[in-house]
Amino acid sequence: MATTSLEKIFFPLLVLFHVIGMETLSRPDLFRKKSLFRLAGNVPKYFYNLVVFFNITFQIMRVFMFRDTKGQCASVAVLLLPLSAHISIHRSRRKIRLILKKLFRIFKILNSTEECKTYKISIAFACFCLNIAPTYAAVFFNSNMRLQDRQDVMNNPHIGENLKMIGLIILDVWFVSNILVTVSFFVPFCLYFLFTCCYTKVLLEKFISEFKIMVLRKDYQILLEVYHELKQVIELMDDFLSYPAFVTVISIMASLFWAGYTMVFFHNDDYASIACLSLVIVLFSSYLFMIMLPASSVNESSAVAKEAIFSLPGYIPRHYKALKACVRKRFRQREPALTLWRIYRIDKPLLISTIGTLVTYGFLVGTLGSVQSSISEMY
């Protein structure tokens, strides 16, 4: 099997990353030497940057064009957060393939390269299923949410009558671009995070299950090397992905709160809007689980692997002191773990508290909204 096999398995994801400007695919020599071919190869990146620029610019304009100024300001903030994560990933884009190479190197050390195929079909299938932008757009364009924004444009006194039709066209283009930008960030990143965690989990479990066998075979050097490589991979993933993961979770929480609040207090008789908001809730909930659950599993296995490697000197009484000093010297730093921006260690209780916070604030805002509507009816 070729040394790039894991990269080939991740090829659908690498294509998605390349389209949004991460340069994850190697280019033929023709594209490097000929300026025309090089320009053609950069067309997807330029187009995506143009769409992002238009999306942000028009979202800022919406603050001044629409009645709900606070809501539009919040939308700008929610849009800028994923943009900052996109920039963070772009600055360290070479680590996307570096992590895959390191994972495959560990598979080779453990003579388990065939296990690389474990998620081959799942990656391609997930890329296909989660790119549901056309479905969402079709439902949204038949909902009252779109009609309400169009009415705001038509009733806006700052827009001339001869420009309102152009404004409606631009508004529809913005709807499509907003869906495209949102999906193009969350789908590649969440799937990459999910499957790199899954492969890391497979390697950690392989290390734990074969630990005693390798001790009996006296493969101490291989044990130390494998754990060192695993520790480096987890630290590299945390260094590279912790901030984008933090931003993703914050953005997901904001989107889920908006969708739930809008579904409860508005559009009760608009089935297209309900279907659209339900799709948002299902999709963003899946994004949340794709971040939290695999990362928490990796952290649990990492803790077990660390306990195993620190127990290694006990299996070799003859070299106990020397091996204990070696293990403590190389691995005495903090336990390798995946975090949210190096603030929160990702575990299952954090997922539960995140959902609990979302529900709590939902009930709080819902109660305040009910009280406010009751007061307005009294007066």
Side-chain angles (χ1 to χ4, degrees):
M1 185 177 292
T3 55
T4 56
S5 61
L6 200 56
E7 294 177 64
K8 290 180 180 178
I9 292 171
F10 274 76
F11 181 75
L13 277 178
L14 296 180
V15 170
L16 293 179
F17 274 124
H18 190 80
V19 169
I20 61 175
M22 297 301 172
E23 301 175 2
T24 49
L25 299 179
S26 56
R27 299 182 182 181
D29 293 336
L30 183 63
F31 281 79
R32 298 175 183 174
K33 296 177 181 178
K34 300 291 185 179
S35 58
L36 183 61
F37 286 97
R38 186 166 60 249
L39 179 63
N42 288 327
V43 166
K45 179 176 69 173
Y46 295 147
F47 175 75
Y48 179 77
N49 291 337
L50 180 63
V51 170
V52 172
F53 177 77
F54 167 76
N55 195 32
I56 295 173
T57 303
F58 191 76
Q59 181 63 64
I60 294 173
M61 291 174 61
R62 282 168 60 94
V63 175
F64 306 98
M65 292 170 56
F66 291 83
R67 293 171 295 177
D68 185 17
T69 304
K70 293 181 180 179
Q72 298 303 327
C73 289
S75 299
V76 172
V78 171
L79 182 62
L80 291 177
L81 275 175
L83 179 62
S84 68
H86 176 83
I87 294 172
S88 173
I89 296 173
H90 185 268
R91 291 176 61 184
S92 304
R93 58 189 178 277
R94 293 183 179 179
K95 293 180 181 179
I96 295 175
R97 296 180 66 177
L98 178 61
I99 290 173
L100 301 182
K101 291 177 180 178
K102 284 183 171 291
L103 287 172
F104 186 70
R105 184 173 183 272
I106 302 172
F107 274 111
K108 288 200 297 182
I109 295 173
L110 292 173
N111 296 318
S112 304
T113 52
E114 287 299 319
E115 294 188 27
C116 291
K117 299 179 181 179
T118 305
Y119 300 104
K120 183 176 181 178
I121 298 177
S122 301
I123 293 174
F125 183 72
C127 290
F128 174 77
C129 290
L130 289 179
N131 281 287
I132 60 169
T135 305
Y136 180 83
V139 176
F140 181 83
F141 270 73
N142 291 285
S143 68
N144 286 342
M145 292 189 294
R146 173 178 175 248
L147 295 178
Q148 183 177 345
D149 283 350
R150 290 172 69 89
Q151 288 174 0
D152 287 342
V153 172
M154 296 300 294
N155 298 331
N156 195 315
H158 302 293
I159 302 176
E161 292 296 330
N162 56 338
L163 296 177
K164 287 185 178 179
M165 288 305 298
I166 298 176
L168 292 177
I169 295 173
I170 295 174
L171 182 64
D172 286 341
V173 173
W174 176 82
F175 285 142
V176 175
S177 71
N178 191 39
I179 295 170
L180 178 63
V181 170
T182 302
V183 171
S184 64
F185 170 74
F186 284 106
V187 170
F189 173 74
C190 290
L191 287 177
Y192 179 81
F193 192 93
L194 167 66
F195 287 109
T196 50
C197 285
C198 288
Y199 277 108
T200 306
K201 170 78 170 176
V202 168
L203 288 169
L204 286 166
E205 289 182 343
K206 184 78 173 176
F207 173 79
I208 295 166
S209 63
E210 295 191 0
F211 179 80
K212 290 186 179 180
I213 298 174
M214 296 177 76
V215 168
L216 293 176
R217 293 204 306 248
K218 299 182 179 180
D219 293 332
Y220 312 131
Q221 190 62 36
I222 295 178
L223 281 172
L224 292 172
E225 182 183 1
V226 169
Y227 182 77
H228 178 70
E229 292 288 338
L230 285 169
K231 181 174 178 291
Q232 280 191 331
V233 166
I234 296 174
E235 289 175 347
L236 179 62
M237 289 174 61
D238 189 50
D239 178 63
F240 173 43
L241 302 174
S242 62
Y243 176 71
F246 174 77
V247 168
T248 300
V249 170
I250 295 296
S251 301
I252 289 170
M253 296 290 289
S255 300
L256 289 175
F257 182 82
W258 167 80
Y261 179 83
T262 306
M263 182 182 291
V264 171
F265 292 98
F266 302 100
H267 313 295
N268 290 329
D269 300 325
D270 179 16
Y271 295 107
S273 294
I274 292 174
C276 185
L277 293 169
S278 300
L279 192 59
V280 170
I281 291 173
V282 171
L283 191 60
F284 278 85
S285 296
S286 66
Y287 292 154
L288 181 64
F289 291 130
M290 287 161 64
I291 295 292
M292 304 292 278
L293 290 180
S296 63
S297 297
V298 168
N299 289 341
E300 289 174 1
S301 297
S302 175
V304 176
K306 184 177 181 179
E307 290 179 5
I309 203 68
F310 270 81
S311 68
L312 180 60
Y315 290 94
I316 316 165
R318 185 180 298 178
H319 305 288
Y320 177 81
K321 290 185 178 180
L323 194 55
K324 183 178 180 181
C326 177
V327 169
R328 287 194 173 185
K329 182 179 180 180
R330 295 180 65 180
F331 310 122
R332 66 181 176 183
Q333 296 89 351
R334 67 179 182 88
E335 178 184 308
L338 299 175
T339 63
L340 297 177
W341 205 9
R342 301 187 178 182
I343 300 175
Y344 297 103
R345 177 191 170 94
I346 302 176
D347 51 20
K348 291 176 182 176
L350 178 62
L351 174 61
I352 296 172
S353 64
T354 300
I355 297 174
T357 301
L358 184 65
V359 173
T360 301
Y361 277 95
F363 278 119
L364 178 62
V365 174
T367 303
L368 293 175
S370 301
V371 171
Q372 186 175 3
S373 61
S374 301
I375 293 174
S376 61
E377 288 176 2
M378 290 176 60
Y379 294 96

